Amino acid sequence: MELEQRVAELERRLTALEGRDSESPRLGDGDFWALEGLKQQLNDAGEAAADGGVLYTGSVRLPTGEQYGWQYGAFTEALFDGDWADTAESFAALGHPVRLRLLREILGGLRTAAELAALDGAGTTGQIYHHLRQLTGAGWLHAAGRGRYEVPPARVVPLLVVLTAARP
């Protein structure tokens, strides 16, 4: 079964779970419903998934009211075979406290460079633009025109996943 088919099946199952009312699984219940779904997908995939896989998913409503849903899965073998150095730029862009603050503020509704430059402790306008360029170059932001920035929809949940994984 192709990865796209497995992801589509997981999306179908997630939609079915979300459609249930009081019987729906809750985060933190101790019920490994997502893990069990991943295991089933791996079993269905057969030999290609012998070493396992990784899945992340999320459904998010931002303070601005925007809503995003995302899920992604990959076989463990493909992850280990890939060049991890390819991700260094993306992690480096997140490795500065001001950049993380800018991302949080942009997700919270501040979208223009002028609004971001007015934040206390964020630095000079030149420093703000430097950080915005770093985040844009790594794909965490994109310029929406006229000095406006936004986190691309496909990066909202992955950003929150990375932040979740980085917590002690």
Side-chain angles (χ1 to χ4, degrees):
M1 186 181 278
E2 295 285 331
L3 181 60
E4 291 176 10
Q5 290 173 319
R6 288 192 312 278
V7 170
E9 176 62 18
L10 282 173
E11 288 174 342
R12 185 193 63 74
R13 289 180 182 183
L14 181 60
T15 300
L17 286 172
E18 287 175 340
R20 294 167 40 192
D21 45 6
S22 63
E23 295 180 38
S24 293
R26 304 277 187 238
L27 295 175
D29 276 353
D31 183 8
F32 290 101
W33 52 272
L35 179 59
E36 293 307 320
L38 173 62
K39 286 179 181 178
Q40 183 61 50
Q41 289 294 310
L42 293 170
N43 284 339
D44 292 348
E47 190 65 32
D51 294 328
V54 174
L55 170 71
Y56 65 89
T57 185
S59 178
V60 178
R61 184 176 63 212
L62 299 179
T64 59
E66 297 161 293
Q67 293 188 291
Y68 300 98
W70 187 258
Q71 104 178 3
Y72 180 81
F75 291 127
T76 306
E77 182 178 355
L79 293 170
F80 279 110
D81 288 347
D83 185 359
W84 290 10
D86 292 344
T87 63
E89 181 183 356
S90 185
F91 283 117
L94 296 176
H96 195 286
V98 172
R99 291 185 200 135
L100 292 172
R101 182 172 182 207
L102 292 174
L103 286 167
R104 185 184 69 218
E105 298 295 343
I106 290 167
L107 288 174
L110 299 182
R111 299 291 167 87
T112 67
E115 290 171 325
L116 297 167
L119 294 170
D120 287 335
T124 67
T125 302
Q127 291 169 327
I128 296 291
Y129 276 107
H130 167 76
H131 292 307
L132 292 171
R133 277 192 303 276
Q134 293 291 100
L135 291 166
T136 301
W140 292 111
L141 285 180
H142 81 267
R146 299 192 183 271
R148 293 183 58 81
Y149 292 86
E150 58 187 36
V151 177
R155 297 292 271 183
V156 172
V157 171
L159 173 62
L160 297 176
V161 168
V162 169
L163 291 171
T164 302
R167 290 183 182 256

Coordinates of all heavy atoms in Angstrom, one line a residue, residues 19-108:
G19 N -16.1 12.4 14.4 CA -17.5 12.4 14.2 C -18.2 11.7 15.4 O -19.4 11.9 15.6
R20 N -17.5 11.0 16.2 CA -18.1 10.4 17.4 C -18.2 11.4 18.5 O -17.4 12.3 18.6 CB -17.3 9.2 17.9 CG -17.3 8.1 16.9 CD -16.3 7.0 17.1 NE -16.1 6.7 18.5 CZ -15.1 5.9 18.9 NH1 -14.2 5.5 18.1 NH2 -15.0 5.7 20.2
D21 N -19.3 11.4 19.3 CA -19.4 12.4 20.4 C -18.8 12.0 21.7 O -17.5 12.0 21.8 CB -20.9 12.8 20.6 CG -21.8 11.5 20.6 OD1 -21.3 10.4 20.7 OD2 -23.0 11.8 20.7
S22 N -19.5 11.6 22.7 CA -18.9 11.3 24.0 C -17.9 10.1 24.0 O -17.2 10.0 24.9 CB -20.0 11.1 25.0 OG -20.7 10.0 24.7
E23 N -18.0 9.3 23.0 CA -17.1 8.1 23.0 C -15.7 8.5 22.3 O -14.8 7.6 22.3 CB -17.7 7.0 22.2 CG -19.0 6.5 22.9 CD -19.6 5.3 22.0 OE1 -18.8 4.5 21.5 OE2 -20.8 5.3 22.0
S24 N -15.6 9.7 21.8 CA -14.3 10.1 21.1 C -13.2 10.0 22.1 O -13.3 10.4 23.2 CB -14.5 11.5 20.6 OG -15.4 11.5 19.5
P25 N -12.0 9.5 21.6 CA -10.8 9.5 22.4 C -10.4 11.0 22.8 O -10.6 11.9 22.0 CB -9.8 8.9 21.5 CG -10.4 8.5 20.3 CD -11.8 9.0 20.3
R26 N -9.9 11.1 24.0 CA -9.4 12.4 24.4 C -7.9 12.4 24.6 O -7.4 11.4 25.0 CB -10.1 12.8 25.8 CG -11.6 12.8 25.7 CD -12.1 14.1 25.2 NE -13.6 14.1 25.3 CZ -14.4 14.2 24.3 NH1 -13.9 14.3 23.1 NH2 -15.7 14.2 24.4
L27 N -7.3 13.5 24.4 CA -5.9 13.6 24.6 C -5.6 13.4 26.1 O -6.3 13.9 26.9 CB -5.3 15.0 24.2 CG -5.4 15.3 22.7 CD1 -5.0 16.7 22.4 CD2 -4.6 14.3 21.9
G28 N -4.6 12.6 26.4 CA -4.2 12.3 27.7 C -5.0 11.3 28.4 O -4.8 11.0 29.6
D29 N -5.9 10.6 27.8 CA -6.7 9.5 28.4 C -5.9 8.3 28.6 O -6.3 7.4 29.3 CB -7.9 9.1 27.5 CG -9.1 10.0 27.7 OD1 -9.1 10.9 28.6 OD2 -10.0 9.9 26.9
G30 N -4.7 8.2 28.1 CA -3.9 7.0 28.2 C -4.2 6.0 27.2 O -3.7 4.9 27.1
D31 N -5.1 6.3 26.3 CA -5.6 5.4 25.2 C -4.7 5.7 24.0 O -4.7 6.9 23.5 CB -7.0 5.6 24.9 CG -7.6 4.7 23.8 OD1 -6.8 3.8 23.4 OD2 -8.7 4.9 23.4
F32 N -4.0 4.8 23.5 CA -3.0 5.0 22.4 C -3.7 4.8 21.0 O -3.3 4.1 20.2 CB -1.8 4.1 22.5 CG -0.9 4.4 23.6 CD1 -1.0 3.7 24.8 CD2 0.0 5.5 23.5 CE1 -0.2 4.1 25.9 CE2 0.8 5.8 24.5 CZ 0.7 5.1 25.7
W33 N -4.8 5.5 20.8 CA -5.6 5.4 19.6 C -4.8 5.8 18.4 O -5.0 5.1 17.3 CB -6.9 6.2 19.7 CG -6.8 7.6 20.1 CD1 -6.8 8.1 21.4 CD2 -6.6 8.7 19.2 NE1 -6.6 9.4 21.4 CE2 -6.5 9.8 20.1 CE3 -6.6 8.9 17.9 CZ2 -6.3 11.1 19.5 CZ3 -6.4 10.1 17.4 CH2 -6.3 11.3 18.2
A34 N -4.0 6.8 18.4 CA -3.2 7.2 17.2 C -2.1 6.2 17.0 O -1.9 5.8 15.8 CB -2.6 8.6 17.4
L35 N -1.5 5.7 18.0 CA -0.5 4.7 17.9 C -1.0 3.4 17.3 O -0.4 2.8 16.5 CB 0.2 4.5 19.2 CG 1.3 3.4 19.2 CD1 2.4 3.7 18.3 CD2 1.9 3.2 20.7
E36 N -2.2 3.0 17.8 CA -2.8 1.8 17.4 C -3.2 1.9 15.9 O -3.0 1.0 15.1 CB -4.0 1.4 18.2 CG -3.7 1.0 19.6 CD -2.6 -0.1 19.7 OE1 -2.7 -1.0 18.9 OE2 -1.8 0.0 20.6
G37 N -3.7 3.1 15.5 CA -4.0 3.3 14.1 C -2.7 3.2 13.2 O -2.7 2.7 12.1
L38 N -1.6 3.8 13.7 CA -0.3 3.7 13.0 C 0.1 2.3 12.9 O 0.5 1.8 11.8 CB 0.7 4.6 13.7 CG 2.1 4.4 13.1 CD1 2.2 4.9 11.7 CD2 3.1 5.2 14.0
K39 N 0.0 1.5 13.9 CA 0.4 0.1 13.9 C -0.4 -0.7 12.9 O 0.2 -1.5 12.1 CB 0.3 -0.5 15.3 CG 1.4 -0.1 16.2 CD 1.2 -0.8 17.6 CE 2.2 -0.4 18.6 NZ 1.9 -1.0 19.9
Q40 N -1.7 -0.4 12.8 CA -2.5 -1.1 11.8 C -2.1 -0.7 10.4 O -2.0 -1.6 9.6 CB -4.0 -0.7 12.1 CG -4.9 -1.4 11.1 CD -4.9 -2.9 11.3 OE1 -5.0 -3.5 12.4 NE2 -4.7 -3.7 10.2
Q41 N -1.8 0.6 10.2 CA -1.3 1.0 8.9 C 0.0 0.3 8.5 O 0.2 -0.1 7.4 CB -1.2 2.5 8.8 CG -2.5 3.3 8.8 CD -3.3 3.0 7.6 OE1 -2.8 3.2 6.5 NE2 -4.5 2.7 7.8
L42 N 0.9 0.2 9.5 CA 2.1 -0.5 9.2 C 1.9 -2.0 8.9 O 2.6 -2.5 8.1 CB 3.1 -0.3 10.4 CG 3.6 1.2 10.7 CD1 4.3 1.3 12.0 CD2 4.4 1.7 9.5
N43 N 1.0 -2.6 9.7 CA 0.7 -4.0 9.4 C 0.2 -4.2 8.0 O 0.5 -5.1 7.3 CB -0.3 -4.5 10.4 CG 0.3 -4.8 11.8 OD1 1.6 -5.0 11.9 ND2 -0.5 -4.8 12.8
D44 N -0.7 -3.3 7.6 CA -1.3 -3.3 6.3 C -0.2 -3.1 5.2 O -0.4 -3.6 4.1 CB -2.4 -2.3 6.1 CG -3.6 -2.6 7.0 OD1 -3.7 -3.7 7.5 OD2 -4.5 -1.7 7.1
A45 N 0.8 -2.3 5.5 CA 1.8 -2.0 4.5 C 2.8 -3.2 4.3 O 3.5 -3.3 3.3 CB 2.6 -0.8 5.0
G46 N 2.8 -4.1 5.2 CA 3.6 -5.4 5.1 C 5.1 -5.1 5.2 O 5.5 -4.4 6.1
E47 N 5.9 -5.8 4.4 CA 7.3 -5.8 4.5 C 7.9 -4.4 4.4 O 8.9 -4.1 5.1 CB 7.9 -6.6 3.4 CG 9.4 -6.9 3.5 CD 9.8 -7.7 4.7 OE1 8.9 -8.6 5.2 OE2 10.9 -7.5 5.3
A48 N 7.3 -3.5 3.6 CA 7.9 -2.1 3.5 C 7.9 -1.4 4.8 O 8.7 -0.5 5.0 CB 7.0 -1.3 2.5
A49 N 7.1 -1.8 5.8 CA 7.0 -1.1 7.1 C 7.6 -1.9 8.2 O 7.3 -1.7 9.4 CB 5.6 -0.7 7.4
A50 N 8.4 -2.9 7.9 CA 8.9 -3.8 8.9 C 9.6 -3.1 10.1 O 9.5 -3.6 11.2 CB 9.9 -4.8 8.3
D51 N 10.3 -2.0 9.8 CA 11.0 -1.3 10.9 C 10.2 -0.3 11.6 O 10.7 0.4 12.5 CB 12.3 -0.7 10.3 CG 13.3 -1.7 9.8 OD1 13.3 -2.8 10.4 OD2 14.0 -1.4 8.8
G52 N 8.9 -0.1 11.2 CA 8.1 0.8 11.9 C 7.9 2.1 11.2 O 8.3 2.3 10.0
G53 N 7.3 3.1 11.9 CA 7.1 4.4 11.3 C 6.8 5.4 12.3 O 6.6 5.1 13.5
V54 N 6.7 6.7 11.8 CA 6.4 7.8 12.7 C 5.3 8.5 12.1 O 5.2 8.7 10.9 CB 7.7 8.7 12.7 CG1 7.4 10.0 13.5 CG2 8.8 8.0 13.4
L55 N 4.4 9.0 13.0 CA 3.2 9.8 12.5 C 3.1 11.0 13.4 O 3.2 10.9 14.6 CB 1.9 8.9 12.7 CG 0.6 9.6 12.5 CD1 0.4 10.0 11.1 CD2 -0.5 8.7 13.0
Y56 N 2.8 12.1 12.8 CA 2.3 13.3 13.6 C 1.1 13.9 13.0 O 1.0 13.9 11.8 CB 3.5 14.3 13.9 CG 4.0 15.0 12.7 CD1 3.4 16.2 12.3 CD2 5.1 14.6 12.0 CE1 4.0 16.9 11.2 CE2 5.7 15.2 10.9 CZ 5.1 16.4 10.5 OH 5.6 17.1 9.5
T57 N 0.3 14.4 13.8 CA -1.0 15.0 13.4 C -1.4 16.0 14.3 O -1.0 16.1 15.5 CB -2.0 13.8 13.3 OG1 -3.2 14.4 12.7 CG2 -2.3 13.2 14.6
G58 N -2.2 16.9 13.9 CA -2.8 18.0 14.7 C -3.9 18.7 14.1 O -4.1 18.7 12.9
S59 N -4.8 19.2 15.0 CA -5.9 20.1 14.6 C -5.8 21.3 15.5 O -5.9 21.2 16.7 CB -7.2 19.3 14.8 OG -8.3 20.1 14.5
V60 N -5.6 22.5 14.9 CA -5.3 23.7 15.6 C -6.2 24.8 15.2 O -6.5 25.0 14.0 CB -3.8 24.1 15.3 CG1 -3.5 25.4 16.0 CG2 -2.9 23.0 15.6
R61 N -6.7 25.6 16.2 CA -7.3 26.8 16.0 C -6.5 27.9 16.6 O -6.2 27.9 17.8 CB -8.7 26.9 16.6 CG -9.4 28.2 16.2 CD -10.9 28.3 16.7 NE -10.9 28.3 18.1 CZ -11.9 27.8 18.8 NH1 -12.9 27.2 18.2 NH2 -11.8 27.8 20.1
L62 N -6.0 28.8 15.8 CA -5.1 29.9 16.3 C -5.9 31.0 17.0 O -7.1 31.1 16.8 CB -4.4 30.5 15.1 CG -3.5 29.6 14.3 CD1 -2.8 30.3 13.1 CD2 -2.4 28.9 15.2
P63 N -5.2 31.8 17.8 CA -5.9 33.0 18.4 C -6.7 33.9 17.4 O -7.6 34.5 17.8 CB -4.8 33.7 19.1 CG -3.7 32.7 19.3 CD -3.8 31.8 18.2
T64 N -6.2 33.8 16.2 CA -6.9 34.7 15.1 C -8.1 34.0 14.6 O -8.8 34.6 13.8 CB -5.9 34.8 13.9 OG1 -5.5 33.6 13.4 CG2 -4.7 35.6 14.4
G65 N -8.4 32.8 15.0 CA -9.6 32.0 14.5 C -9.3 31.1 13.3 O -10.2 30.3 13.0
E66 N -8.2 31.2 12.7 CA -7.8 30.3 11.6 C -7.7 28.9 12.2 O -7.2 28.7 13.3 CB -6.5 30.8 11.0 CG -6.5 32.2 10.4 CD -5.2 32.7 10.2 OE1 -4.5 33.0 11.2 OE2 -4.8 32.9 9.0
Q67 N -8.1 28.0 11.3 CA -8.0 26.6 11.7 C -7.2 25.8 10.7 O -7.3 26.0 9.5 CB -9.4 26.0 11.8 CG -10.2 26.6 13.0 CD -11.5 25.8 13.2 OE1 -12.4 25.9 12.4 NE2 -11.6 25.2 14.3
Y68 N -6.4 24.9 11.3 CA -5.5 24.0 10.4 C -5.6 22.6 11.0 O -5.6 22.3 12.1 CB -4.1 24.5 10.5 CG -3.9 25.9 10.0 CD1 -3.9 27.0 10.9 CD2 -3.9 26.2 8.7 CE1 -3.7 28.3 10.5 CE2 -3.8 27.5 8.2 CZ -3.7 28.5 9.1 OH -3.6 29.8 8.7
G69 N -5.5 21.7 10.0 CA -5.4 20.2 10.3 C -4.3 19.7 9.5 O -4.1 20.1 8.3
W70 N -3.5 18.8 10.0 CA -2.4 18.3 9.3 C -2.0 16.9 9.9 O -2.2 16.6 11.0 CB -1.2 19.2 9.5 CG 0.0 18.8 8.7 CD1 1.2 18.2 9.1 CD2 0.2 19.1 7.3 NE1 2.0 18.0 8.1 CE2 1.5 18.6 7.0 CE3 -0.5 19.7 6.3 CZ2 2.0 18.7 5.7 CZ3 0.0 19.8 5.1 CH2 1.3 19.3 4.8
Q71 N -1.6 16.0 9.0 CA -1.0 14.8 9.4 C 0.0 14.3 8.4 O 0.0 14.6 7.2 CB -2.1 13.7 9.6 CG -2.3 12.7 8.6 CD -3.4 11.7 9.0 OE1 -4.1 11.8 10.0 NE2 -3.5 10.7 8.1
Y72 N 1.0 13.6 8.9 CA 2.1 13.2 8.1 C 2.7 11.9 8.7 O 2.8 11.8 9.9 CB 3.3 14.3 8.1 CG 4.4 13.8 7.2 CD1 4.4 14.0 5.8 CD2 5.6 13.3 7.8 CE1 5.4 13.6 5.0 CE2 6.6 12.9 7.0 CZ 6.6 13.0 5.6 OH 7.6 12.7 4.8
G73 N 3.1 11.0 7.8 CA 3.7 9.7 8.3 C 4.8 9.4 7.4 O 4.9 9.7 6.2
A74 N 5.8 8.7 8.0 CA 7.0 8.2 7.3 C 7.4 6.9 7.9 O 7.3 6.7 9.1 CB 8.1 9.3 7.3
F75 N 8.0 6.1 7.0 CA 8.6 4.8 7.5 C 9.9 5.1 8.1 O 10.7 6.0 7.7 CB 8.8 3.9 6.3 CG 7.6 3.3 5.7 CD1 7.4 3.4 4.3 CD2 6.6 2.7 6.4 CE1 6.2 2.9 3.7 CE2 5.5 2.1 5.9 CZ 5.3 2.3 4.5
T76 N 10.2 4.4 9.2 CA 11.4 4.5 9.9 C 12.6 4.4 9.0 O 13.6 5.1 9.1 CB 11.5 3.5 11.1 OG1 10.3 3.6 11.9 CG2 12.7 3.7 11.9
E77 N 12.6 3.4 8.2 CA 13.7 3.1 7.2 C 14.0 4.3 6.4 O 15.2 4.7 6.2 CB 13.4 1.9 6.3 CG 14.6 1.6 5.4 CD 14.3 0.3 4.6 OE1 13.2 -0.3 4.7 OE2 15.1 0.0 3.7
A78 N 13.0 5.0 5.9 CA 13.2 6.2 5.0 C 13.8 7.3 5.9 O 14.7 8.1 5.4 CB 11.9 6.6 4.4
L79 N 13.4 7.4 7.1 CA 13.9 8.5 8.0 C 15.4 8.2 8.3 O 16.2 9.2 8.2 CB 13.2 8.6 9.3 CG 11.7 9.0 9.1 CD1 11.0 8.8 10.5 CD2 11.7 10.5 8.7
F80 N 15.8 7.0 8.5 CA 17.2 6.7 8.8 C 18.1 6.8 7.6 O 19.3 7.1 7.7 CB 17.4 5.3 9.5 CG 17.1 5.4 11.0 CD1 15.9 4.8 11.5 CD2 18.0 6.1 11.8 CE1 15.7 4.9 12.9 CE2 17.7 6.1 13.2 CZ 16.6 5.5 13.7
D81 N 17.5 6.5 6.4 CA 18.3 6.5 5.2 C 18.5 7.9 4.7 O 19.4 8.2 3.9 CB 17.6 5.7 4.1 CG 17.7 4.2 4.4 OD1 18.5 3.8 5.2 OD2 17.0 3.4 3.7
G82 N 17.6 8.9 5.1 CA 17.7 10.3 4.6 C 18.9 11.0 5.2 O 19.5 10.5 6.2
D83 N 19.3 12.1 4.6 CA 20.4 12.9 5.1 C 19.9 13.9 6.1 O 19.2 14.9 5.7 CB 21.0 13.6 3.9 CG 22.3 14.4 4.3 OD1 22.6 14.4 5.5 OD2 22.9 15.0 3.4
W84 N 20.1 13.7 7.3 CA 19.6 14.5 8.4 C 20.2 16.0 8.3 O 19.6 16.9 8.8 CB 19.9 13.9 9.8 CG 19.1 12.7 10.0 CD1 18.3 12.0 9.2 CD2 19.0 12.0 11.3 NE1 17.7 10.9 9.8 CE2 18.1 10.9 11.1 CE3 19.5 12.2 12.5 CZ2 17.8 10.1 12.1 CZ3 19.2 11.4 13.6 CH2 18.4 10.3 13.4
A85 N 21.3 16.1 7.7 CA 22.0 17.4 7.5 C 21.0 18.4 6.7 O 21.1 19.6 6.9 CB 23.3 17.3 6.9
D86 N 20.2 17.8 5.9 CA 19.2 18.6 5.1 C 18.3 19.4 6.0 O 17.7 20.4 5.6 CB 18.4 17.7 4.2 CG 19.2 17.1 3.1 OD1 20.4 17.6 2.8 OD2 18.7 16.1 2.5
T87 N 18.1 19.0 7.3 CA 17.2 19.7 8.2 C 17.9 20.7 9.0 O 17.2 21.5 9.8 CB 16.5 18.7 9.1 OG1 17.4 18.0 9.9 CG2 15.7 17.7 8.3
A88 N 19.2 20.8 8.9 CA 19.9 21.8 9.8 C 19.5 23.2 9.7 O 19.3 23.9 10.7 CB 21.4 21.6 9.5
E89 N 19.2 23.7 8.4 CA 18.8 25.1 8.2 C 17.5 25.3 8.9 O 17.3 26.4 9.5 CB 18.8 25.4 6.8 CG 18.4 26.8 6.5 CD 18.2 27.2 5.0 OE1 18.5 26.3 4.2 OE2 17.8 28.3 4.7
S90 N 16.6 24.4 8.8 CA 15.3 24.6 9.4 C 15.4 24.7 10.9 O 14.8 25.5 11.5 CB 14.4 23.4 9.0 OG 13.1 23.6 9.5
F91 N 16.2 23.8 11.5 CA 16.3 23.8 13.0 C 17.1 25.1 13.4 O 16.8 25.7 14.4 CB 17.1 22.6 13.5 CG 16.2 21.4 13.6 CD1 16.4 20.2 12.8 CD2 15.1 21.3 14.4 CE1 15.6 19.1 12.9 CE2 14.3 20.2 14.5 CZ 14.6 19.1 13.7
A92 N 18.1 25.4 12.6 CA 18.9 26.6 13.0 C 18.0 27.9 13.0 O 18.2 28.8 13.8 CB 20.0 26.8 12.0
A93 N 17.1 28.0 12.0 CA 16.2 29.1 12.0 C 15.3 29.2 13.3 O 15.0 30.3 13.7 CB 15.3 29.1 10.8
L94 N 15.0 28.1 13.9 CA 14.2 28.1 15.1 C 15.1 28.2 16.3 O 14.5 28.4 17.4 CB 13.4 26.7 15.2 CG 12.4 26.5 14.1 CD1 11.8 25.1 14.3 CD2 11.3 27.6 14.1
G95 N 16.4 28.3 16.2 CA 17.3 28.2 17.3 C 17.6 29.6 17.9 O 18.6 29.8 18.6
H96 N 16.7 30.6 17.7 CA 17.0 31.9 18.3 C 15.7 32.3 19.0 O 14.6 32.3 18.4 CB 17.3 32.9 17.2 CG 17.9 34.2 17.7 ND1 17.1 35.1 18.3 CD2 19.2 34.6 17.7 CE1 17.9 36.1 18.7 NE2 19.1 35.9 18.4
P97 N 15.8 32.8 20.2 CA 14.6 33.2 21.0 C 13.7 34.2 20.3 O 12.5 34.2 20.4 CB 15.1 33.7 22.3 CG 16.5 33.1 22.4 CD 17.0 32.9 21.0
V98 N 14.3 35.2 19.7 CA 13.6 36.2 19.0 C 12.8 35.6 17.8 O 11.6 36.0 17.6 CB 14.5 37.4 18.5 CG1 13.7 38.4 17.6 CG2 15.1 38.1 19.7
R99 N 13.4 34.7 17.1 CA 12.7 34.1 16.0 C 11.5 33.3 16.5 O 10.4 33.3 15.8 CB 13.6 33.2 15.2 CG 14.6 34.0 14.4 CD 15.5 33.2 13.5 NE 16.7 33.9 13.3 CZ 17.9 33.4 13.3 NH1 18.1 32.1 13.5 NH2 19.0 34.2 13.1
L100 N 11.6 32.6 17.5 CA 10.5 31.8 18.1 C 9.4 32.8 18.6 O 8.2 32.6 18.3 CB 11.0 31.0 19.3 CG 11.9 29.8 18.9 CD1 12.4 29.1 20.1 CD2 11.1 28.8 18.0
R101 N 9.8 33.9 19.1 CA 8.8 34.9 19.5 C 8.1 35.5 18.3 O 6.9 35.7 18.3 CB 9.5 36.0 20.3 CG 8.5 37.0 20.8 CD 9.0 38.1 21.7 NE 8.0 39.0 22.2 CZ 8.2 40.2 22.5 NH1 9.4 40.7 22.6 NH2 7.2 41.0 22.9
L102 N 8.8 35.8 17.3 CA 8.2 36.3 16.1 C 7.2 35.3 15.5 O 6.1 35.7 15.1 CB 9.3 36.7 15.0 CG 10.2 37.8 15.3 CD1 11.3 37.9 14.3 CD2 9.5 39.1 15.5
L103 N 7.5 34.1 15.5 CA 6.6 33.1 15.0 C 5.3 33.0 15.8 O 4.2 33.0 15.3 CB 7.3 31.7 14.9 CG 8.3 31.5 13.8 CD1 9.1 30.2 14.1 CD2 7.6 31.4 12.5
R104 N 5.5 33.1 17.1 CA 4.4 33.0 18.1 C 3.5 34.3 17.8 O 2.3 34.2 17.8 CB 4.8 33.0 19.5 CG 3.6 32.8 20.5 CD 4.0 32.9 21.9 NE 4.4 34.2 22.2 CZ 5.4 34.6 23.0 NH1 6.1 33.6 23.6 NH2 5.7 35.8 23.3
E105 N 4.1 35.4 17.7 CA 3.4 36.7 17.5 C 2.6 36.7 16.1 O 1.5 37.1 16.0 CB 4.3 37.9 17.6 CG 4.9 38.1 19.0 CD 3.9 38.3 20.1 OE1 2.8 38.7 19.8 OE2 4.3 38.2 21.3
I106 N 3.3 36.1 15.1 CA 2.6 36.1 13.8 C 1.4 35.1 13.8 O 0.4 35.4 13.3 CB 3.7 35.6 12.7 CG1 4.6 36.8 12.5 CG2 3.0 35.2 11.4 CD1 5.9 36.5 11.7
L107 N 1.6 34.0 14.5 CA 0.5 33.0 14.7 C -0.7 33.7 15.5 O -1.8 33.4 15.3 CB 0.9 31.7 15.3 CG 1.7 30.8 14.4 CD1 2.2 29.6 15.2 CD2 0.9 30.3 13.2
G108 N -0.3 34.6 16.4 CA -1.2 35.3 17.2 C -1.9 36.5 16.6 O -2.8 37.0 17.1

